[in-house]
Each structure stands twice: as C-alpha cells, then as structure tokens.
Amino acid sequence: MNNNSIKYLEEFKIYLKSEKNFSIHTIRAYCADVYTFLIWADNLNVDEINSKKFSEYLYFIQKINYTKTTIARKIASIRAFYKFLFQEEIIETNPADALVAPKRPKSLPDFMSEEEVENILRNVKIETPAGFRNRVIFELLWVSGMRISELSNLNYENLNLEQNEIKVLGKGAKERIVLIPDKTKENLKNYMDNVSDLICKTKKAPDSPLFINYNGFRLQNQSIRKALKEVVEKIELPKKITPHIFRHSFATRLLENGADLRIVQELLGHASISNTQIYTHVSSARLKSVYDSTHPRA
C-alpha cells in the first residue's frame, strides 16, 4: 500500500468522525475494510483502481466464504471511501458507484416475551448498589427501546423526568425523545438520589454520566453486557439474550398492541420506515404461532 493511500485513509477516518458522526465501532469497521482492500490492491494509487479491479476484489472476497452480510458491509465501506475521495476531488470519477453488494438475507429479529423480560428483572440482585443500578438499566432498555450505546452515553442533562422524557443522541448524532412510565421514573430517581453515591460519590453536573462504575467513570457497554449475561445464565433462559433484544422486544410489543408504525419508527430513531417494518413481520409470525397453537381448527 502506497503512502498516498495511507494518507487518504487517515483523512477518511477524520471525515467519518467529524462530519458523519459515526460511532467509534463503525469507524473502526469501515477503516479496517478499506485498509484490507488497499492492501489487496497492492501499490496501486486510488485513482488507478477501476470498476474492473473492484469486480476482481468482489470475486476475491466471495471466494473466502464471507457471509453476505459481511461482504455487503465491506462493499459499503469501500463505496463510502470512494465517495469521500470524489467529494474531496481527489479522484475525477467514482468507479465504486458501479460496485453492487449481494443482497443481505432478511432474518426476523429475536425478541423476548413479557414474561421473559420480567423474569430477568426479578432475578437481578437489587440488594447491592450495582445490582440496583443494573436493574434500572435493564428496565430502561425494555421500556424505552434505547440502544445500549445510547443508554451508556446518557448524562444528567438528558433527563426531563417531570415530563417522563429522556433525550437520546442516536446514530449520526440525531437527537430524539424517548418516553418512560412512572414506575421506571421512580426507580431511576431512586438510583440518582440514593444509590449512585453508594457506587461512587461524584458530582452530578449536567454533563456528568448518569450510570457510573465503582471508580466514578461512565459505565461501559461491556459491563452492561456482562451483568445481563450473568442474570440470563442464572435463570437458564433457553435463548441468547443481548441488550439489543430488549430493543427488539420493545418494538414488537408496541406493534402487537396496535401502535402506529410511524410512532414506533420515531421512538426507535430509525432513519427509514423500512427498518421498522421488519417488526410487523415479527408480530405477524407470532400471531400465526398463537393461532396455530390455540385455534381448534388450526
């Protein structure tokens, strides 16, 4: 890989962070994909790579037996890189425009029943400060549909508990309002007023993190995942449960109870209604399952 390619990749990384507001994980994945491609292209300059070369690379990664989802992501990364090069007038034409990724297989998202969620919440040990904090976190994920990263990044200034509202910074730095019920609000206030100081006494300024660890630092996604895994293993749920499944369960439950698809889209922070529509298929599949198992003529 030549020096120009390295320089452009660094500029692309800055662009993704400062202008696109992508998360650290997304930036890392995009840059890794582009880096792999540029190594494969050997010493060619970015403006020397044509559509034929892209086709050869697509054939190359398909031979490695990547999943269609992985190949689609790699293609998306390269297309984004070349779009950036074209916008910055580093290249005169964009040969990556013709690069078409394989269609990703559509799969229905996993979700939990209300009973399964309540089982998890019941089995969190709230006798300890960290346990009470974790219980509030899992409950928030269930009632709000927040992503785990959105919840982890909450500060005190994001809360408007008088209106039962939380302002969330989602993907692409897009703000939205999520709602929480009174019971969850009371549990959250209890955590803030009484439990947080038992974990670590810190100032509660507007820009201070809402959920903290025993060192007073922001609680990270990995710690939340670990706490959830411990509870799930304890109660031996017969399915893999991740924080994101709370989000799927939130959306599925709303639609099953007749919520408007556009409202669910707004609450989830989806840029496109097509991302939300998959939950209608989940609801339909569940309804058919209930019908088949309960109707005498099914």
Side-chain angles (χ1 to χ4, degrees):
M1 188 165 66
N2 61 49
N3 291 332
N4 280 338
S5 295
I6 296 172
K7 174 190 165 190
Y8 296 146
L9 183 55
E10 283 301 315
E11 292 174 359
F12 178 59
K13 184 177 181 180
I14 295 170
Y15 162 78
L16 293 178
K17 181 178 180 181
S18 60
E19 294 193 34
K20 301 298 287 183
N21 294 307
F22 282 179
S23 70
I24 294 172
H25 302 293
T26 303
I27 293 171
R28 188 180 295 129
Y30 269 48
C31 290
D33 290 337
V34 174
Y35 182 74
T36 303
F37 168 69
L38 293 174
I39 288 178
W40 175 85
D42 200 14
N43 205 36
L44 288 175
N45 289 320
V46 291
D47 59 352
E48 294 176 319
I49 299 173
N50 54 28
S51 56
K52 182 175 182 293
K53 204 70 179 173
F54 283 127
S55 297
E56 291 174 4
Y57 183 68
L58 181 58
Y59 177 75
F60 168 74
I61 58 178
Q62 286 174 332
K63 293 275 283 184
I64 300 178
N65 291 327
Y66 286 125
T67 65
K68 287 185 178 180
T69 301
T70 300
I71 293 173
R73 193 205 67 219
K74 287 180 177 293
I75 298 304
S77 301
I78 295 168
R79 284 173 60 89
F81 177 61
Y82 267 80
K83 184 178 180 181
F84 160 75
L85 296 176
F86 182 68
Q87 288 174 347
E88 295 298 311
E89 299 182 353
I90 297 168
I91 56 176
E92 293 182 2
T93 58
N94 184 359
D97 271 344
L99 191 57
V100 178
K103 288 187 177 180
R104 303 184 189 195
K106 289 186 178 180
S107 59
L108 297 179
D110 290 328
F111 65 94
M112 291 181 285
S113 66
E114 285 185 80
E115 293 76 17
E116 288 171 328
V117 175
E118 292 300 329
N119 193 14
I120 290 174
L121 297 180
R122 278 196 309 271
N123 281 279
V124 180
K125 292 184 177 179
I126 60 174
E127 296 81 8
T128 66
F132 190 93
R133 176 204 62 201
N134 295 341
R135 170 67 161 73
V136 172
I137 286 173
F138 300 153
E139 186 175 347
L140 271 175
L141 290 173
W142 164 232
V143 302
S144 71
M146 276 188 280
R147 300 177 178 92
I148 183 175
S149 58
E150 295 170 344
L151 183 141
S152 175
N153 287 326
L154 289 178
N155 297 330
Y156 280 88
E157 62 190 354
N158 295 114
L159 306 179
N160 179 9
L161 295 185
E162 288 185 5
Q163 301 296 323
N164 291 52
E165 295 178 350
I166 299 177
K167 183 167 66 175
V168 171
L169 192 65
K171 287 186 176 180
K174 292 180 181 177
E175 289 185 351
R176 73 180 190 280
I177 300 295
V178 299
L179 307 174
I180 59 174
D182 288 336
K183 183 180 177 183
T184 304
K185 178 176 72 172
E186 293 307 313
N187 290 337
L188 179 56
K189 287 177 69 176
N190 193 1
Y191 161 78
M192 293 161 54
D193 297 340
N194 304 309
V195 179
S196 177
D197 283 344
L198 298 177
I199 295 174
C200 185
K201 247 184 178 174
T202 59
K203 66 175 184 176
K204 295 180 174 64
D207 61 348
S208 297
L210 178 60
F211 294 110
I212 57 174
N213 59 25
Y214 280 112
N215 294 316
F217 296 117
R218 185 182 301 279
L219 192 68
Q220 297 300 309
N221 297 355
Q222 184 178 351
S223 298
I224 299 173
R225 293 180 191 280
K226 182 180 177 183
L228 177 60
K229 183 180 178 183
E230 288 174 356
V231 178
V232 171
E233 287 180 349
K234 173 187 171 185
I235 60 180
E236 299 180 342
L237 276 181
K239 62 172 69 169
K240 184 179 179 182
I241 304 297
T242 66
H244 206 69
I245 289 183
F246 281 92
R247 179 171 164 88
H248 295 326
S249 306
F250 165 80
T252 304
R253 184 61 181 161
L254 287 180
L255 289 169
E256 284 179 346
N257 284 309
D260 183 85
L261 193 63
R262 291 286 180 185
I263 299 297
V264 178
Q265 177 192 3
E266 187 72 21
L267 290 172
L268 291 175
H270 283 162
S272 169
I273 193 71
S274 62
N275 294 329
T276 316
Q277 283 174 329
I278 191 169
Y279 295 108
T280 63
H281 299 308
V282 173
S283 298
S284 298
R286 188 176 182 189
L287 286 172
K288 288 176 182 176
S289 175
V290 172
Y291 176 83
D292 288 340
S293 63
T294 59
H295 195 280
R297 295 273 181 157

